[in-house]
Structure formats: structure tokens, C-alpha cells
Amino acid sequence: MNTQNISAGILSALMACTGGAILIMNTADLIGLTQPELISWLFIVYFIGGSLNMLLSLRYRIPFAGAHSITAVAFLSTAAAHFTLQELAGSFMMTGGLIALLGFTGIFNRILELIPKPLIDSMLAGLILNYVVQIVPAFKESPYIAGFAILGFFIVPRFSKSIPPLFGVLVFGILALFLGYDFPMISKAQFSWPQVIMPSFTVHGFLSISIPVAVLILSNDLAVALAALKKNGFHPPTNKIIVYSGIGTALVSLFGGHAVNIGGMMTALCSSEEAGLKENRFRAAIVSGVLVALFGFFAWKIIVLIEALPAFFITMITGFSLLSVLLGSLQTAFTTSTYRYSILFTFVIAISNVSFLGISSAVWSLLIGGITAKVLGEGKVHQSK
């Protein structure tokens, strides 16, 4: 274990434990979860997610890093409000089963080819855009604190390209809060184990929650992670990794968790040259997994600290945590010249966040986008390459 392994592991864990946790808390608030239910959600996805990636890294000597799907949480924040906790648990269990089935059958790549990647990215960009836009009113509410945080976004990465800008936002923003904000009295919290939830299975949940969440996990987490590993000279057991993520997701659904999987950007960081010599990079993922698991175990303490932060600051951190995802999605979607109107329709429908016939805007965006591409013959040149 060296400093490169440790620093890459710490930065990887920060990716999951900052914006991802705040997104879960925002979503839990929107759907009216109690504090014990929120603690259960955070505990299970971080503790099991970190442990799973740590064990896989030890087993295969390959740097697998992750916790849960941040993009799936961003989707849930707009789609989950119309479901009970039991229906969500059932939907998440079906998501896990669907992912595991794709791994067992080995048809993951064929399924993904049925949904053009530019349309998935366009849908994701539409879902995330609303969060990023909220950075502007957050800045207006407190120009001093928000301005200081934004300064960190530009300054900190100049010291090292391996440090994500979000880290600068957090450091400078928290410093500004200590200098210019009166924190309220921090309430006491009690430790609680994850709560078992009896799942309820519905067709509505499968169509509006299970399928979109599975698509997001497969395309924006697993596919990205596996591609990054191969790019950096590793040979991961693709189908087994998909199965493990599916089984993990089905398991945590019993406690209100939405997903457990290998993370895209976290694995990309731990498998890169910044994590040290190739044969030792799995140690960076182990550091990441341990920190993520500890974050989950102490979720009961951490949420009271986050709740003490002002709302505008949490909104700003959420927006910045999704900024790189938005940028990557927009670049992939709108630089694909063979898809034009289908991408635009997908993007606009996803932004609308309007459900119709009980089906979420994310599903409708992919459906309308896919039909548009088929009718107008878009994407044919791209598919033939």
C-alpha cells in the first residue's frame, strides 16, 4: 500500500459519499421517509456496496470500486414520489433480478444495443439538468458562501488534476460556512440497524422504476466501469460482475436500498495510472470500499451533520456533484450527428418530469425518442460503423 493507492481510494470514496448521499437524503424527503427509514437506506447501500467492491477487488485482484448508482438516485428523485416504500422495494428487487438475469444469460451487450446510447445519455441529461440549474438560485441566496465554494471548484484542481473539482467546492464551501454562517444546534441521533421492508410487486413499478433504474445502472455504471478496466489493461469477468451487482441490488431492496453495484467513475479512478502501479491498483479500490462501508455504518451520525447544513448549500453541492455527469451526457448525446430529433425529444420529455398513464417521463422519453429514431431513420449511419 502506497500514497497513490490511498489518495486514489480516498478520492474515489468521496465521489460516492458526497453528492450521492445528499441525493438520497433529498429523495427520501420527497417521498416522506422517516429518519430510521433514511438511515436504513443509507446504511445498506453504502455498507453492502463498499463491502461488495472490496471483496471483489480482493478476489480478482482487479480494482472494483463503487457503492450505489448516483444516476439512479437522480432519476428516483423525480419518479419515486408516486410509490409507497413497499412498492419501491419490490421495484428495486425486480431491478436486481433483471440485471442478474442479463448477467446469467450473457446478453448484456445485446440488450444495451436495443437502446441507443445517445438516447440514454439524452434522458439522463434531462433528468440531471434541473439539479444543476439550481446552483444559480443557490448562489443568489448567499453570494458570499456560494461564491467561495465556486472559487474552490476552479482553484483546487490546479494543484492536481486527479483531485475532482467537487472536493474544492466542499473544502472552500465548508470553510466559508464556518466563517459566515450560524449553525443550528445539532440534534442527537440514535444508531439503528437497517429495517426489513416487505416488497410489493406491481406492473406499474416494473415499467416506471425497475426498467429505467436497470438501464441506468447497466449503461452508466457497469458499462463505464468495465470499459475503464479494459482500457487500463484489466480483464474483468464481465458476466459475473453483472450478476453480483444484480444480486446485491436485490438483497439491499429488502432494506429500502435502490442499488448496489460497481461504480463507473470510481472504478475508472482506481484503475487509472493515478492509483499507482497496475498490479497494486486493486489496493486503491480496497481503500475506497473500506471508507464507503464505514460511511454506511456511521450514516446515523452523518445525516444529522448534513441536516445542519443550510438548504442552499446542499442544493449547490448536489448540483456540482452531478455537473460532470451532465457534461458527459450532453457531449455524448448531442455530438452524435446521426441522431437529431430523437435526441431532442428525449431530452425535452425527460426535463418535463411529467408522468402520463402512471409511467414516468424517463420511460416516455426513451420510448418517444426510440420511435422517432425508427420513423425518421436516425442512427443508421452510426449503427453501421
Side-chain angles (χ1 to χ4, degrees):
M1 189 76 70
N2 56 38
T3 55
Q4 285 182 299
N5 301 150
I6 295 172
S7 61
I10 292 173
L11 290 174
S12 172
L14 280 173
M15 289 183 182
C17 299
T18 49
I22 292 174
L23 274 171
I24 287 178
M25 293 180 66
N26 285 344
T27 304
D29 183 58
L30 288 171
I31 60 181
L33 297 189
T34 63
Q35 189 176 81
E37 289 168 342
L38 169 59
I39 292 173
S40 180
W41 187 355
L42 285 168
F43 185 115
I44 201 69
V45 296
Y46 280 102
F47 186 78
I48 299 299
S51 300
L52 173 65
N53 282 276
M54 178 181 61
L55 292 173
L56 289 176
S57 298
L58 284 168
R59 168 68 176 82
Y60 294 105
R61 291 297 193 268
I62 292 175
F64 295 108
H68 62 86
S69 175
I70 295 176
T71 54
V73 182
F75 161 73
L76 290 171
S77 65
T78 62
H82 305 295
F83 294 86
T84 65
L85 185 57
Q86 291 72 25
E87 289 173 334
L88 288 174
S91 300
F92 299 152
M93 184 172 288
M94 289 188 285
T95 295
L98 185 58
I99 293 173
L101 179 63
L102 294 178
F104 277 122
T105 57
I107 59 174
F108 166 61
N109 290 328
R110 288 187 223 167
I111 296 295
L112 272 187
E113 286 174 0
L114 296 177
I115 307 174
K117 185 66 164 61
L119 296 188
I120 296 174
D121 283 311
S122 183
M123 176 201 71
L124 186 59
L127 294 174
I128 290 174
L129 183 62
N130 289 314
Y131 287 100
V132 177
V133 167
Q134 293 305 313
I135 293 174
V136 178
F139 179 87
K140 180 181 178 181
E141 188 165 342
S142 180
Y144 165 70
I145 295 174
F148 214 65
I150 293 171
L151 188 64
F153 178 87
F154 294 103
I155 290 179
V156 170
R158 294 181 67 87
F159 292 101
S160 174
K161 291 183 179 180
S162 64
I163 301 177
L166 178 61
F167 184 71
V169 174
L170 282 168
V171 171
F172 276 61
I174 292 173
L175 178 60
L177 283 173
F178 276 111
L179 295 175
Y181 179 74
D182 292 326
F183 287 93
M185 183 74 68
I186 296 178
S187 59
K188 292 183 179 180
Q190 293 184 338
F191 175 81
S192 61
W193 292 105
Q195 300 180 347
V196 177
I197 299 167
M198 292 302 297
S200 174
F201 304 99
T202 65
V203 175
H204 182 201
F206 181 73
L207 294 175
S208 292
I209 300 294
S210 302
I211 292 178
V213 170
V215 168
L216 289 171
I217 293 172
L218 289 166
S219 61
N220 291 285
D221 289 291
L222 294 176
V224 172
L226 293 168
L229 287 170
K230 291 177 181 178
K231 177 184 175 183
N232 289 309
F234 295 96
H235 303 284
T238 300
N239 291 332
K240 288 183 179 179
I241 295 307
I242 295 170
V243 170
Y244 289 138
S245 293
I247 293 174
T249 296
L251 172 65
V252 300
S253 70
L254 290 170
F255 303 92
H258 68 291
V260 156
N261 53 265
I262 284 77
M265 295 307 297
M266 294 174 68
T267 297
L269 175 59
C270 289
S271 64
S272 67
E273 293 181 357
E274 284 79 7
L277 295 174
K278 180 185 172 184
E279 60 268 23
N280 294 328
R281 291 175 194 170
F282 75 95
R283 294 173 179 171
I286 292 173
V287 171
S288 176
V290 169
L291 293 175
V292 167
L294 287 173
F295 182 88
F297 188 82
F298 290 101
W300 62 287
K301 280 285 189 183
I302 294 168
I303 62 169
V304 296
L305 297 177
I306 295 177
E307 288 173 345
L309 298 173
F312 75 86
F313 187 76
I314 292 176
T315 298
M316 186 180 62
I317 295 299
T318 302
F320 273 109
S321 69
L322 294 171
L323 198 59
S324 62
V325 180
L326 175 64
L327 181 59
S329 297
L330 288 173
Q331 287 176 332
T332 303
F334 288 96
T335 55
T336 307
S337 59
T338 53
Y339 293 94
R340 298 181 62 195
Y341 290 104
S342 55
I343 285 178
L344 181 61
F345 291 165
T346 302
F347 183 64
V348 170
I349 294 171
I351 290 176
S352 71
N353 190 29
V354 175
S355 298
F356 181 62
L357 298 178
I359 300 175
S360 65
S361 62
V363 178
W364 282 116
S365 69
L366 287 176
L367 182 62
I368 300 300
I371 293 173
T372 303
K374 192 73 174 175
V375 171
L376 298 181
E378 296 183 343
K380 289 183 178 179
V381 176
H382 173 76
Q383 292 171 355
S384 66
K385 290 183 179 180

